[in-house]
Amino acid sequence: MCAGKTTREGSLEAPTRHPIEWRTDDFWDKNSLNKELERVFDICHGCRRCVSLCDSFPTLFDLVDESETMEVDGVAKEDYQKVVDQCYMCDMCYMSKCPYVPPHEWNVDFPHLMLRAKAINYRENGASRRDKILTSTDTVGKLASIPIVDVTVNALNKNATFRKLLESNFDIHHDAPVPEYFSKTLRKRVAPMVKPIVATEVGKTKGKVALFATCYGNHNSPHLGDDFVNVFQHNNIHIELVPTEQCCGMPKLELGDLDAVHRAKKANIPILYELVQQGFDLIAPVPSCVLMFKQELPLMYPEDEQVLAVKNAFYDPFEYLFLRHKGGALSTEFKTELGDIAYHVACHLRVQNIGLKTRDVLALIPNTNVHPQERCSGHDGTYAVKLETRDKSVKIARPVVRKVDQLKPDHLASDCPMAGTHIANLSESTEHPTHPMSLLRIAYGLPG
């Protein structure tokens, strides 16, 4: 099958994405789903290029190889869910491995087929209490960042006895690093820092951005707000916070709860659209949240003009800074060299097809060597903390961790704070990751 008539290597056509037809009856039809799963699984079985990615593919191939026919038709339909459960929708099979994605006639979109299976499973069976809580990032963040409560939560999460109890009662692995919570959230820190700057257009950038703080940025990495504001203001870019926001919806998308995704869309898109109408560009500190607005929501709502306007205005922050640099509007007056940086390229950044703009910006710093690690960290927000998938996440992360330990870098960085923490937790050469925006702030000599 790998000798298909059109392949990614042999075609000059870029891969394309079809809309997610989640509002049709066929999308929710279990028999229709199983037919499509069998079709796509048969193509994957004949190719097997993606075996080194997530555990979905080894799970599928083991089911096939251990069946009586040694073909997909020998796999029980009820076992298809075992494959689905291992997919955390990193999108890397679609963007970097599969030769049969559209416009190929076989029309394989493995991640969105897994999304369909997750959505049907969620509608039929719901989800565990743990998974519902883990993906309710707004609710958990607001509760855990209440003053004094945040101190208590952080202390308990560092207590070995409590972590064992959490594992036995809630299936959260006791070794998995979990985020800290802060009562002084990003929104509280950034608001006093905002100062008006006259916006200057450079290329397609307007020089005026609204920062979508994200759940993780607001409650778990509030210092990132300081770094974003300092770096953008240092480069004469007006930056302020999106007035109000809810979770972008990515955790619920990965769970298959499309109704919750719809509610998040209804809350966020009108506010973001109004900002776009006011001349703002949009950024967020976490690649998954950027991807949600640049790809997933537009594919779920392809006819929604507001969604498409938000998509066209959303940028990865380093993509934005590099566009300013190309127009001669980025300061290259750096005060601090950074040495060797082991830079993990997050999957949800890679699939945005913008190149390694974080690397390109950091490489402008004198005597700074950026070493990109383009392999999945295996974190996926919740995959690396769940009891049943923790060991698999560690296995997936090993190639990156090995490269980091071989390098013994001065800094470990990842655009995804959770992926960086996962890698640092497994590494012998570094204890803490640093967000690339924090590194840029250090290089400029700006206050933290």
Side-chain angles (χ1 to χ4, degrees):
M1 284 189 182
C2 281
K5 100 175 174 183
T6 304
T7 67
R8 293 284 292 279
E9 292 88 346
S11 174
L12 296 178
E13 295 180 274
T16 187
R17 219 69 188 260
H18 296 312
I20 302 169
E21 297 180 346
W22 67 284
R23 287 176 287 189
T24 65
D25 292 338
D26 185 67
F27 180 93
W28 298 100
D29 185 87
K30 188 67 172 287
N31 290 328
S32 173
L33 168 68
N34 282 334
K35 288 179 183 178
E36 182 65 3
L37 286 169
E38 184 172 5
R39 184 188 78 86
V40 170
F41 285 174
D42 189 52
I43 294 171
C44 295
H45 158 53
C47 179
R48 302 202 175 201
R49 288 184 57 171
C50 291
V51 69
S52 63
L53 294 179
C54 69
D55 205 56
S56 284
F57 297 100
T59 299
L60 170 61
F61 303 148
D62 285 347
L63 287 170
V64 172
D65 295 343
E66 293 167 7
S67 72
E68 289 185 4
T69 65
M70 298 186 69
E71 298 290 346
V72 174
D73 62 9
V75 178
K77 297 290 191 293
E78 55 266 28
D79 284 339
Y80 287 178
Q81 190 63 36
K82 295 178 181 178
V83 180
V84 175
D85 288 342
Q86 298 306 316
C87 174
Y88 41 78
M89 298 175 58
C90 69
D91 239 29
M92 289 310 302
C93 59
Y94 190 97
M95 297 306 301
S96 71
K97 290 283 188 181
C98 182
Y100 307 119
V101 299
H104 191 282
E105 60 186 330
W106 289 351
N107 189 30
V108 173
D109 186 339
F110 192 91
H112 284 161
L113 179 58
M114 296 300 101
L115 172 63
R116 181 183 176 190
K118 288 173 183 286
I120 290 177
N121 183 63
Y122 184 86
R123 178 168 286 189
E124 291 183 349
N125 304 307
S128 67
R129 183 168 60 99
R130 177 201 63 185
D131 289 352
K132 287 182 178 179
I133 292 174
L134 285 177
T135 57
S136 298
T137 49
D138 272 330
T139 301
V140 174
K142 289 175 183 177
L143 290 174
S145 59
I146 294 172
I148 301 179
V149 174
D150 64 324
V151 177
T152 304
V153 169
N154 294 336
L156 287 172
N157 282 337
K158 294 174 183 177
N159 182 280
T161 301
F162 174 78
R163 288 302 302 273
K164 286 287 188 179
L165 288 171
L166 190 65
E167 178 177 290
S168 62
N169 291 286
F170 206 57
D171 291 338
I172 299 292
H173 198 285
H174 67 277
D175 281 335
V178 292
E180 290 189 78
Y181 291 89
F182 297 86
S183 57
K184 190 172 183 181
T185 62
L186 183 152
R187 300 188 71 85
K188 292 178 182 177
R189 294 171 69 115
V190 164
M193 298 175 64
V194 173
K195 61 182 181 182
I197 293 176
V198 177
T200 304
E201 292 190 18
V202 175
K204 63 179 183 178
T205 66
K206 297 181 175 63
K208 183 169 73 168
V209 302
L211 176 65
F212 187 87
T214 76
C215 310
Y216 196 92
N218 192 35
H219 300 291
N220 308 118
S221 295
H223 64 280
L224 282 180
D226 302 24
D227 297 334
F228 269 74
V229 171
N230 281 326
V231 167
F232 275 69
Q233 288 183 348
H234 183 71
N235 284 284
N236 295 313
I237 302 169
H238 177 81
I239 181 171
E240 59 185 75
L241 287 172
V242 172
T244 62
E245 65 184 50
Q246 291 186 16
C247 174
C248 69
M250 182 63 82
K252 294 298 185 183
L253 185 81
E254 293 173 350
L255 186 64
D257 184 357
L258 299 190
D259 290 335
V261 174
H262 182 66
R263 290 193 294 272
K265 175 259 184 188
K266 288 179 64 178
N268 287 319
I269 290 297
I271 295 167
L272 296 175
Y273 177 75
E274 179 60 29
L275 289 167
V276 173
Q277 295 301 104
Q278 294 173 18
F280 281 89
D281 296 320
L282 305 169
I283 59 172
V286 179
S288 296
C289 304
V290 177
L291 186 69
M292 193 69 190
F293 291 108
K294 288 177 76 170
Q295 174 177 290
E296 303 300 345
L297 287 178
L299 288 173
M300 290 180 69
Y301 303 90
E303 307 299 329
D304 191 313
E305 293 183 1
Q306 292 191 4
V307 170
L308 297 180
V310 169
K311 168 192 173 180
N312 292 330
F314 230 109
Y315 295 87
D316 167 79
F318 278 88
E319 174 192 17
Y320 198 86
L321 293 176
F322 193 77
L323 287 170
R324 305 287 289 185
H325 171 65
K326 285 178 65 177
L330 187 76
S331 171
T332 54
E333 297 295 321
F334 297 104
K335 296 182 179 180
T336 304
E337 302 166 357
L338 297 179
D340 285 311
I341 301 172
Y343 165 52
H344 169 255
V345 190
C347 296
H348 279 176
L349 180 62
R350 293 172 67 188
V351 301
Q352 292 178 37
N353 283 327
I354 59 174
L356 303 186
K357 295 300 182 284
T358 300
R359 174 202 61 187
D360 295 342
V361 171
L362 293 178
L364 298 171
I365 304 166
N367 297 316
T368 297
N369 302 302
V370 185
H371 305 267
Q373 311 297 327
E374 295 187 77
R375 291 289 295 266
C376 183
S377 73
H379 190 275
D380 170 55
T382 62
Y383 193 82
V385 305
K386 295 177 182 177
L387 181 62
E388 68 272 22
T389 50
R390 166 69 180 174
D391 289 345
K392 294 177 181 179
S393 78
V394 171
K395 181 180 179 181
I396 293 168
R398 280 176 187 160
V400 174
V401 174
R402 188 183 308 116
K403 292 256 184 99
V404 170
D405 285 341
Q406 289 172 350
L407 181 62
K408 295 181 173 59
D410 298 292
H411 304 279
L412 167 65
S414 177
D415 301 276
C416 174
M418 293 167 284
T421 299
H422 183 49
I423 295 167
N425 177 253
L426 300 172
S427 170
E428 296 179 356
S429 62
T430 183
E431 292 185 5
H432 302 288
T434 307
H435 193 280
M437 195 63 69
S438 303
L439 291 177
L440 192 58
R441 187 262 306 162
I442 292 169
Y444 277 133
L446 301 173

Coordinates of all heavy atoms in Angstrom, one line a residue, residues 8 15-18 50 53 91-98 101-102 108-111:
R8 N 2.9 11.7 -0.4 CA 3.4 13.0 0.1 C 4.8 13.3 -0.6 O 5.1 14.4 -0.9 CB 3.6 13.0 1.6 CG 2.3 12.9 2.3 CD 1.5 14.2 2.3 NE 2.2 15.2 3.1 CZ 2.1 15.3 4.4 NH1 1.3 14.5 5.1 NH2 2.8 16.2 5.1
P15 N -0.9 18.9 1.7 CA -2.0 18.2 2.3 C -3.1 19.2 2.7 O -2.9 20.4 3.0 CB -1.4 17.6 3.6 CG -0.2 18.4 3.9 CD 0.3 18.8 2.5
T16 N -4.4 18.8 2.5 CA -5.5 19.7 2.8 C -6.4 19.0 3.8 O -6.3 17.8 4.1 CB -6.3 20.0 1.5 OG1 -7.3 20.9 1.8 CG2 -7.0 18.7 1.0
R17 N -7.2 19.8 4.5 CA -8.1 19.3 5.5 C -9.5 19.5 5.2 O -9.9 20.6 4.8 CB -7.8 20.0 6.9 CG -7.8 19.1 8.1 CD -6.6 18.1 8.1 NE -6.7 17.1 9.1 CZ -5.9 17.2 10.3 NH1 -5.2 18.2 10.5 NH2 -6.0 16.2 11.1
H18 N -10.4 18.5 5.3 CA -11.8 18.6 5.0 C -12.5 19.1 6.3 O -12.0 18.7 7.4 CB -12.4 17.3 4.6 CG -11.9 16.8 3.2 ND1 -11.8 17.7 2.1 CD2 -11.4 15.6 2.8 CE1 -11.3 17.0 1.1 NE2 -11.0 15.8 1.5
C50 N 3.7 4.9 10.7 CA 3.5 5.7 11.9 C 3.7 4.9 13.2 O 3.4 5.4 14.3 CB 2.1 6.3 11.9 SG 1.8 7.5 10.6
L53 N 5.2 6.7 16.3 CA 4.6 7.9 16.9 C 3.9 7.5 18.2 O 4.5 7.0 19.1 CB 3.6 8.5 15.8 CG 4.2 9.1 14.6 CD1 3.2 9.6 13.6 CD2 5.2 10.2 14.9
D91 N -1.7 15.2 16.0 CA -1.8 15.5 14.5 C -0.6 15.2 13.7 O -0.5 15.5 12.5 CB -2.2 17.0 14.3 CG -3.5 17.2 13.6 OD1 -4.4 16.3 13.6 OD2 -3.6 18.2 12.9
M92 N 0.4 14.6 14.4 CA 1.7 14.4 13.7 C 1.6 13.3 12.6 O 2.3 13.4 11.6 CB 2.8 14.1 14.7 CG 3.2 15.2 15.5 SD 3.6 16.7 14.6 CE 4.9 16.1 13.5
C93 N 0.7 12.3 12.8 CA 0.6 11.3 11.7 C 0.1 12.0 10.5 O 0.6 11.7 9.4 CB -0.3 10.2 12.2 SG -2.0 10.6 12.6
Y94 N -0.8 12.9 10.6 CA -1.4 13.6 9.4 C -0.4 14.5 8.8 O -0.2 14.5 7.5 CB -2.6 14.4 9.9 CG -3.4 14.9 8.7 CD1 -4.5 14.3 8.2 CD2 -3.0 16.1 8.0 CE1 -5.3 14.8 7.2 CE2 -3.7 16.6 7.0 CZ -4.9 15.9 6.5 OH -5.6 16.4 5.4
M95 N 0.3 15.2 9.6 CA 1.2 16.3 9.0 C 2.6 15.8 8.6 O 3.2 16.5 7.8 CB 1.3 17.4 10.0 CG 0.0 18.1 10.3 SD -0.9 18.7 8.9 CE 0.3 19.8 8.2
S96 N 3.1 14.7 9.2 CA 4.5 14.4 8.9 C 4.7 13.0 8.4 O 5.8 12.7 7.9 CB 5.3 14.6 10.2 OG 5.0 13.6 11.1
K97 N 3.8 12.1 8.5 CA 4.0 10.7 8.2 C 3.1 10.1 7.1 O 3.6 9.5 6.2 CB 3.8 9.8 9.4 CG 4.9 10.0 10.5 CD 6.2 9.3 10.1 CE 7.2 9.4 11.2 NZ 8.5 8.7 10.8
C98 N 1.8 10.4 7.1 CA 0.9 9.7 6.3 C 0.9 10.1 4.8 O 0.8 11.3 4.5 CB -0.5 9.9 6.8 SG -1.8 8.9 5.9
V101 N -3.1 11.3 3.0 CA -4.0 12.3 3.4 C -4.5 13.0 2.2 O -3.9 13.0 1.1 CB -3.3 13.4 4.3 CG1 -2.8 12.7 5.6 CG2 -2.1 14.0 3.6
P102 N -5.6 13.7 2.3 CA -6.1 14.5 1.1 C -5.1 15.5 0.6 O -4.3 16.1 1.4 CB -7.3 15.2 1.7 CG -7.7 14.5 2.9 CD -6.5 13.9 3.4
V108 N -7.3 9.8 3.9 CA -7.1 9.4 5.3 C -6.8 10.6 6.2 O -5.9 11.4 6.0 CB -5.9 8.4 5.4 CG1 -5.6 8.1 6.9 CG2 -6.2 7.1 4.7
D109 N -7.7 10.8 7.2 CA -7.4 11.8 8.3 C -7.6 11.0 9.6 O -8.7 11.0 10.2 CB -8.4 12.9 8.2 CG -8.2 14.1 9.1 OD1 -7.5 13.8 10.1 OD2 -8.6 15.2 8.9
F110 N -6.5 10.4 10.0 CA -6.6 9.6 11.2 C -7.0 10.4 12.5 O -7.8 9.9 13.2 CB -5.2 8.9 11.4 CG -5.2 7.8 12.4 CD1 -5.5 6.5 12.1 CD2 -4.9 8.1 13.8 CE1 -5.5 5.5 13.0 CE2 -4.9 7.1 14.7 CZ -5.2 5.8 14.3
P111 N -6.4 11.5 12.7 CA -6.7 12.2 14.0 C -8.2 12.6 14.0 O -8.9 12.5 15.1 CB -5.9 13.5 13.9 CG -4.7 13.1 13.1 CD -5.3 12.2 12.0

